[in-house]
Amino acid sequence: MTKDAGRIYLSSPHMSGKEQQYVDDAFQSNWIAPLGPHVDAFEKEIANYVQSAGAVAMCSGTAAIHLSLRLLGVGKGDTVFCSTLTFVASANPILYQGAEPVFIDSEPMSWNMSPVALKHAFVHADNTGKLPKAVIVVNLYGQNADMDPLLALCNEYNVPVIEDAAESLGATYRNKASGTFGKFGIYSFNGNKMITTSGGGMLVSNDLEALEKARFWATQARDSARHYEHSEVGYNYRLSNVLAAIGRAQLQVLEDRITARRTVFERYYSELGDIDGIRFLSEASYGRCTRWLTALIIDPTKLGVSVDQVIDELALYNIEARPVWKPMHLQPLFKHYLYFVHGDSSISDSLFNNGICLPSGSNLTQEDQKFVIACFKRAIVQKKP
Ligand SMILES: *Cc1c(COP(=O)(O)O)cnc(C)c1O
C-alpha cells in the first residue's frame, strides 16, 4: 500500500524495482551494518558519476555538511557565509560547530547566491578584520549557482567553498557535475530528493586525505588499536550497507529521473507559461537544471490571489504544493545574524513571498499532472487583458 493512494505529493520516492535485489544481497551476505561492500561500491559509483577523486557515504546530507565544516577548522567564534534561501540543514551545522552564520541573498535569475551580495559581505568582513572560515553555496531546486564569479571572490579572499548540492545531483555547470566546484561537496538521498536511500548523504572532494579524516570522525573516531581507543570526538554518521544497496540501484536510474522531472517541468511550462503574472524559475545558460522541483513566482496583483490561497486551494484536492524555502535570515533561529542583500531590496524575501513549488516527482503520472494543472488554473483568478 502507498502512504495515501489519493494524494499527489510534491516529490515522493520513486523505486526502479531493482533496489530489492540489492537489498536482498545485503541480507543474504548478512552485511546489515553501517559499513560493507555496498557502501564501498556506492561511494566509488558516486565519485565516478560526478568525477571527484573520492566520496564518503553518510547517514545524511546534514552530517556531510557538518563534517565539511569541521574539516575546514570551523569552530567557536568563527563566521561562515551561507546562502539565505535554502533549507535549514544548510545552516544548522554552522551552529553545531559553535560558529556564526552570515547570510547571503539570492540573485534573481538562478535564485542562488548573489555574487553582488557576496562581495558586500566580503568587503564588510575584511573591513572588520574577520573573514569567514568557509562559504556554503547552495544549489536550489536542481540548478547550480553561478560558480565562476562566486569562486573568483572566494579565491580572492582565500576562503574555501562547501557546495551544498543536496538538491542538485545530476545538474551541471559548464559541463562539470554540480557539487564538485568547492573544496567539499555534499549530496542528500533523503526521501524527497532526486534519488533516495530513504535517508542518506555523501561527501565528495578531491582531497582524499580529508575524506579519510571524515570517514574516521563519522565512525566514532576509533584510533587503530585492538581495544576501543579514542583521542578525538567522533560521530555515528556512516550510511548503512542496506541503505547503500538501495542507493546503488537508484543511481543507475538517475538519468531517467532527471529526464522525467524535466518533462514534468515542460508540461507545466507549456500549460501555464503564457499566463501573465506567472514566471517560472529559468534554466541558466551555463548548465543543465534537473528540475528537482518545478518552482514559479506568481504576481498576486495580476492574478488576484496569493501563494497561500493557491496552496490552500490545491490542498482541497489532496495536492501537495509548498512555498519556496523561507530564507534563513527570516527564521526566528537565525534572525540575529548578519544578512547581505543583492540590491536595494532583498531578492530572497520576494521569492519567498510569491514563490510556489508544484508536484514534481519523477513518478508523477501525466493524468495526475493534468489534474494539478486544472486545479491550479481554477485557483488563480485571471484578470481579463
Ligand atoms: C535536503 C537538503 C539538505 C539536507 O539533507 P539531509 O540528507 O536531509 O540531511 C541540505 N541542504 C539542502 C538545500 C537540502 O534541500
Side-chain angles (χ1 to χ4, degrees):
M1 274 303 288
T2 49
K3 269 166 72 190
D4 176 350
R7 188 157 169 78
I8 301 177
Y9 292 98
L10 194 67
S11 177
S12 66
H14 185 186
M15 295 297 110
S16 68
K18 217 171 166 189
E19 291 82 7
Q20 194 64 52
Q21 248 172 275
Y22 280 77
V23 171
D24 285 349
D25 174 79
F27 272 71
Q28 269 151 30
S29 56
N30 205 31
W31 272 109
I32 317 293
L35 76 185
H38 285 299
V39 174
D40 299 344
F42 190 35
E43 289 176 347
K44 285 206 180 73
E45 286 160 6
I46 287 280
N48 182 53
Y49 177 78
V50 302
Q51 293 291 294
S52 68
V56 182
M58 306 248 165
C59 60
S60 70
T62 312
I65 297 172
H66 184 196
L67 293 190
S68 306
L69 290 170
R70 189 167 166 197
L71 284 166
L72 294 174
V74 172
K76 207 166 158 48
D78 290 331
T79 57
V80 173
F81 291 177
C82 181
S83 306
T84 193
L85 190 68
T86 186
F87 178 51
V88 70
S90 306
N92 268 338
I94 300 169
L95 300 186
Y96 302 168
Q97 285 302 97
E100 291 193 5
V102 170
F103 295 109
I104 313 292
D105 200 2
S106 304
E107 48 93 1
M109 192 277 301
S110 73
W111 302 8
N112 288 316
M113 188 182 279
S114 155
V116 178
L118 180 64
K119 172 95 196 175
H120 291 324
F122 267 127
V123 169
H124 179 270
D126 203 19
N127 287 341
T128 55
K130 197 177 174 192
L131 286 172
K133 271 279 179 72
V135 177
I136 300 174
V137 177
V138 183
N139 302 318
L140 285 178
Y141 301 126
Q143 175 150 269
N144 222 91
D146 191 2
M147 294 312 286
D148 284 347
L150 295 174
L151 285 173
L153 279 166
C154 293
N155 291 338
E156 184 187 331
Y157 289 93
N158 212 6
V159 178
V161 168
I162 298 167
E163 215 185 334
D164 179 348
E167 302 178 5
S168 64
L169 179 64
T172 60
Y173 180 79
R174 307 205 187 284
N175 294 318
K176 202 168 163 260
S178 183
T180 60
F181 290 86
K183 170 83 180 158
F184 300 107
I186 77 96
Y187 303 105
S188 167
F189 311 115
N190 193 24
N192 60 352
K193 298 287 157 64
M194 288 303 296
I195 58 170
T196 184
T197 58
S198 83
M202 194 72 78
L203 173 66
V204 297
S205 179
N206 288 329
D207 184 343
L208 294 176
E209 214 174 303
L211 290 182
E212 237 3 86
K213 191 81 198 184
R215 196 172 270 121
F216 169 73
W217 285 331
T219 326
Q220 305 283 22
R222 275 184 71 178
D223 296 336
S224 58
R226 172 175 297 161
H227 56 272
Y228 286 89
E229 177 88 1
H230 306 275
S231 42
E232 287 186 66
V233 63
Y235 313 89
N236 183 2
Y237 272 179
R238 299 237 49 202
L239 185 69
S240 130
N241 192 57
V242 181
L243 301 186
I246 299 173
R248 292 185 68 195
Q250 285 271 286
L251 184 58
Q252 289 175 15
V253 293
L254 174 58
E255 286 302 313
D256 298 341
R257 300 299 184 251
I258 294 167
T259 306
R261 288 192 193 246
R262 286 181 62 89
T263 304
V264 165
F265 166 82
E266 290 301 336
R267 285 197 207 110
Y268 281 128
Y269 189 78
S270 71
E271 289 287 335
L272 306 169
D274 286 343
I275 299 173
D276 188 27
I278 288 183
R279 196 164 47 82
F280 284 83
L281 167 62
S282 52
E283 182 171 34
S285 57
Y286 51 60
R288 174 170 77 166
C289 175
T290 64
R291 295 293 180 186
W292 171 56
L293 294 184
T294 290
L296 54 95
I297 297 295
I298 65 168
D299 183 338
T301 54
K302 280 188 175 146
L303 298 175
V305 70
S306 70
V307 161
D308 274 342
Q309 286 170 313
V310 174
I311 292 174
D312 283 346
E313 176 82 11
L314 293 175
L316 294 177
Y317 298 97
N318 215 5
I319 295 167
E320 182 189 19
R322 289 278 174 105
V324 161
W325 295 123
K326 180 172 179 176
M328 291 304 111
H329 72 275
L330 297 178
Q331 300 287 353
L333 175 64
F334 293 120
K335 65 171 184 244
H336 301 298
Y337 297 105
L338 278 176
Y339 172 51
F340 290 87
V341 295
H342 171 82
D344 296 335
S345 62
S346 169
I347 301 289
S348 65
D349 282 60
S350 71
L351 293 171
F352 170 60
N353 289 333
N354 300 317
I356 180 169
C357 299
L358 295 177
S360 308
S362 47
N363 52 2
L364 179 67
T365 65
Q366 215 164 325
E367 195 189 358
D368 279 352
Q369 192 177 359
K370 266 192 189 144
F371 181 63
V372 174
I373 289 165
C375 293
F376 184 91
K377 281 182 173 164
R378 207 171 306 151
I380 56 172
V381 187
Q382 277 184 265
K383 283 185 177 166
K384 293 251 153 46

